[in-house]
Amino acid sequence: MTSLGVIGAVYTWISSYLANHTQYICCLGFKSTPVPVLCGVPQESVLAPILFLYTVVLVQLVESFELFPHLYADNTQIYSFCRPGDTDSLWKRVADCVTAVADWMRFSRLQLNASKTELLWCSSTRRQKSATLRSVNCRLQSRVTS
Protein backbone atom coordinates (compact mmCIF):
# COMPACT_ATOMS: atom_id res chain seq x y z
CA MET A 1 0.00 0.00 0.00
CA THR A 2 2.70 2.48 0.97
CA SER A 3 5.24 1.88 -1.82
CA LEU A 4 2.65 1.82 -4.62
CA GLY A 5 0.33 4.47 -3.22
CA VAL A 6 -2.75 2.25 -3.35
CA ILE A 7 -5.33 3.84 -1.05
CA GLY A 8 -9.04 4.42 -0.60
CA ALA A 9 -11.54 2.61 -2.80
CA VAL A 10 -8.86 0.83 -4.84
CA TYR A 11 -7.25 -0.57 -1.68
CA THR A 12 -10.65 -1.66 -0.38
CA TRP A 13 -11.49 -3.32 -3.72
CA ILE A 14 -8.20 -5.26 -3.87
CA SER A 15 -8.47 -6.26 -0.19
CA SER A 16 -12.04 -7.51 -0.56
CA TYR A 17 -11.09 -9.46 -3.69
CA LEU A 18 -8.33 -11.29 -1.84
CA ALA A 19 -10.23 -11.85 1.44
CA ASN A 20 -12.23 -14.89 2.52
CA HIS A 21 -10.91 -17.43 0.01
CA THR A 22 -10.76 -21.12 0.84
CA GLN A 23 -9.19 -24.14 -0.80
CA TYR A 24 -9.76 -27.88 -0.66
CA ILE A 25 -8.53 -31.09 -2.22
CA CYS A 26 -10.78 -33.27 -4.34
CA CYS A 27 -9.68 -36.85 -4.96
CA LEU A 28 -11.73 -39.76 -6.28
CA GLY A 29 -14.94 -37.82 -5.70
CA PHE A 30 -14.15 -36.97 -2.07
CA LYS A 31 -13.55 -33.38 -0.96
CA SER A 32 -11.47 -32.35 2.02
CA THR A 33 -12.64 -29.75 4.49
CA PRO A 34 -12.09 -26.24 3.07
CA VAL A 35 -9.30 -24.25 4.75
CA PRO A 36 -8.70 -20.50 4.52
CA VAL A 37 -6.14 -19.16 2.02
CA LEU A 38 -4.07 -16.66 3.99
CA CYS A 39 -1.83 -15.24 1.25
CA GLY A 40 -1.30 -15.22 -2.49
CA VAL A 41 -3.43 -14.40 -5.51
CA PRO A 42 -6.02 -16.72 -7.03
CA GLN A 43 -4.41 -18.45 -9.99
CA GLU A 44 -5.44 -17.12 -13.42
CA SER A 45 -7.29 -14.21 -11.85
CA VAL A 46 -7.62 -10.89 -13.64
CA LEU A 47 -6.01 -9.23 -10.62
CA ALA A 48 -2.78 -11.26 -10.79
CA PRO A 49 -1.06 -9.02 -13.39
CA ILE A 50 -1.92 -5.93 -11.39
CA LEU A 51 -0.48 -7.41 -8.21
CA PHE A 52 2.70 -8.19 -10.13
CA LEU A 53 3.50 -4.53 -9.39
CA TYR A 54 4.21 -5.77 -5.87
CA THR A 55 7.64 -6.77 -7.14
CA VAL A 56 8.59 -3.10 -7.42
CA VAL A 57 9.82 -3.41 -3.84
CA LEU A 58 11.94 -6.44 -4.74
CA VAL A 59 13.59 -4.56 -7.61
CA GLN A 60 14.38 -1.62 -5.31
CA LEU A 61 15.83 -3.97 -2.71
CA VAL A 62 18.16 -5.70 -5.19
CA GLU A 63 19.24 -2.39 -6.71
CA SER A 64 20.07 -1.04 -3.24
CA PHE A 65 22.98 -3.55 -3.23
CA GLU A 66 24.16 -2.17 -6.59
CA LEU A 67 23.11 -5.41 -8.29
CA PHE A 68 20.83 -5.97 -11.27
CA PRO A 69 17.47 -7.79 -11.04
CA HIS A 70 15.73 -9.59 -13.89
CA LEU A 71 12.19 -10.76 -13.11
CA TYR A 72 9.87 -13.04 -15.03
CA ALA A 73 6.68 -14.53 -13.57
CA ASP A 74 7.78 -16.25 -10.36
CA ASN A 75 11.50 -16.27 -11.17
CA THR A 76 14.07 -13.64 -10.27
CA GLN A 77 17.68 -13.42 -11.38
CA ILE A 78 20.13 -11.20 -9.56
CA TYR A 79 23.35 -10.54 -11.40
CA SER A 80 26.39 -8.29 -11.65
CA PHE A 81 29.98 -8.23 -12.79
CA CYS A 82 33.26 -6.86 -11.49
CA ARG A 83 36.95 -6.47 -12.11
CA PRO A 84 39.13 -9.34 -10.86
CA GLY A 85 40.33 -7.34 -7.85
CA ASP A 86 36.76 -6.61 -6.69
CA THR A 87 35.46 -10.17 -6.34
CA ASP A 88 35.38 -10.11 -2.53
CA SER A 89 33.26 -6.96 -2.54
CA LEU A 90 30.87 -8.40 -5.14
CA TRP A 91 30.64 -11.69 -3.27
CA LYS A 92 29.68 -9.85 -0.07
CA ARG A 93 27.03 -7.74 -1.85
CA VAL A 94 25.50 -10.84 -3.45
CA ALA A 95 25.43 -12.74 -0.14
CA ASP A 96 23.96 -9.75 1.73
CA CYS A 97 21.38 -9.18 -1.03
CA VAL A 98 20.21 -12.80 -1.07
CA THR A 99 19.85 -12.71 2.72
CA ALA A 100 17.88 -9.44 2.49
CA VAL A 101 15.63 -10.87 -0.23
CA ALA A 102 14.93 -13.97 1.87
CA ASP A 103 14.11 -11.76 4.88
CA TRP A 104 11.85 -9.51 2.77
CA MET A 105 10.03 -12.52 1.34
CA ARG A 106 9.45 -13.96 4.80
CA PHE A 107 8.16 -10.59 6.05
CA SER A 108 5.91 -10.28 2.95
CA ARG A 109 4.53 -13.82 3.45
CA LEU A 110 6.08 -14.99 0.19
CA GLN A 111 7.82 -18.31 -0.22
CA LEU A 112 11.44 -18.62 -1.33
CA ASN A 113 12.09 -22.08 -2.71
CA ALA A 114 15.61 -22.65 -1.39
CA SER A 115 15.92 -25.96 -3.24
CA LYS A 116 15.57 -24.05 -6.53
CA THR A 117 17.89 -21.23 -5.50
CA GLU A 118 21.25 -21.40 -7.21
CA LEU A 119 24.33 -19.24 -7.39
CA LEU A 120 26.34 -19.24 -10.59
CA TRP A 121 29.81 -17.69 -10.25
CA CYS A 122 31.71 -17.40 -13.53
CA SER A 123 35.41 -16.64 -13.64
CA SER A 124 38.64 -17.68 -15.26
CA THR A 125 40.28 -20.86 -14.00
CA ARG A 126 42.91 -18.84 -12.10
CA ARG A 127 40.31 -16.80 -10.24
CA GLN A 128 37.62 -19.36 -9.58
CA LYS A 129 36.09 -18.96 -6.17
CA SER A 130 33.94 -21.33 -4.19
CA ALA A 131 31.74 -20.51 -1.24
CA THR A 132 28.30 -21.14 0.12
CA LEU A 133 25.46 -18.91 1.18
CA ARG A 134 24.50 -20.85 4.30
CA SER A 135 22.04 -18.20 5.44
CA VAL A 136 19.55 -19.15 2.72
CA ASN A 137 20.57 -22.77 2.10
CA CYS A 138 21.67 -22.10 -1.45
CA ARG A 139 23.52 -24.73 -3.33
CA LEU A 140 26.51 -23.46 -5.20
CA GLN A 141 26.86 -24.34 -8.82
CA SER A 142 30.31 -23.39 -10.11
CA ARG A 143 31.10 -23.14 -13.78
CA VAL A 144 34.37 -22.08 -15.27
CA THR A 145 34.48 -19.85 -18.35
CA SER A 146 37.53 -18.91 -20.32
Side-chain angles (χ1 to χ4, degrees):
M1 182 169 99
T2 304
S3 59
L4 297 176
V6 177
I7 58 173
V10 174
Y11 179 78
T12 303
W13 176 71
I14 292 172
S15 296
S16 68
Y17 179 78
L18 296 174
N20 302 318
H21 284 275
T22 59
Q23 64 185 10
Y24 62 89
I25 298 172
C26 185
C27 182
L28 301 173
F30 296 99
K31 286 178 21 178
S32 67
T33 304
V35 295
V37 177
L38 303 176
C39 59
V41 179
Q43 197 169 11
E44 299 179 12
S45 72
V46 296
L47 190 58
I50 295 168
L51 292 178
F52 189 71
L53 294 173
Y54 186 62
T55 58
V56 168
V57 177
L58 178 59
V59 169
Q60 292 170 342
L61 177 62
V62 171
E63 289 175 344
S64 74
F65 288 90
E66 298 177 4
L67 301 171
F68 305 98
H70 179 248
L71 287 75
Y72 180 77
D74 63 349
N75 294 305
T76 302
Q77 296 174 348
I78 301 170
Y79 62 96
S80 192
F81 54 91
C82 69
R83 296 186 182 277
D86 297 330
T87 56
D88 289 339
S89 172
L90 177 58
W91 186 255
K92 180 170 179 9
R93 284 188 289 132
V94 169
D96 291 347
C97 180
V98 171
T99 299
V101 166
D103 291 344
W104 172 79
M105 291 185 73
R106 218 175 358 268
F107 175 79
S108 302
R109 298 190 327 175
L110 299 170
Q111 185 175 5
L112 174 68
N113 190 337
S115 69
K116 291 184 178 180
T117 302
E118 294 182 343
L119 173 66
L120 175 62
W121 186 273
C122 299
S123 68
S124 65
T125 304
R126 292 178 320 182
R127 301 194 186 280
Q128 187 168 357
K129 181 175 188 145
S130 63
T132 59
L133 293 175
R134 291 186 186 97
S135 61
V136 290
N137 298 321
C138 293
R139 63 177 192 263
L140 175 65
Q141 181 183 62
S142 294
R143 294 191 183 157
V144 178
T145 60
S146 51

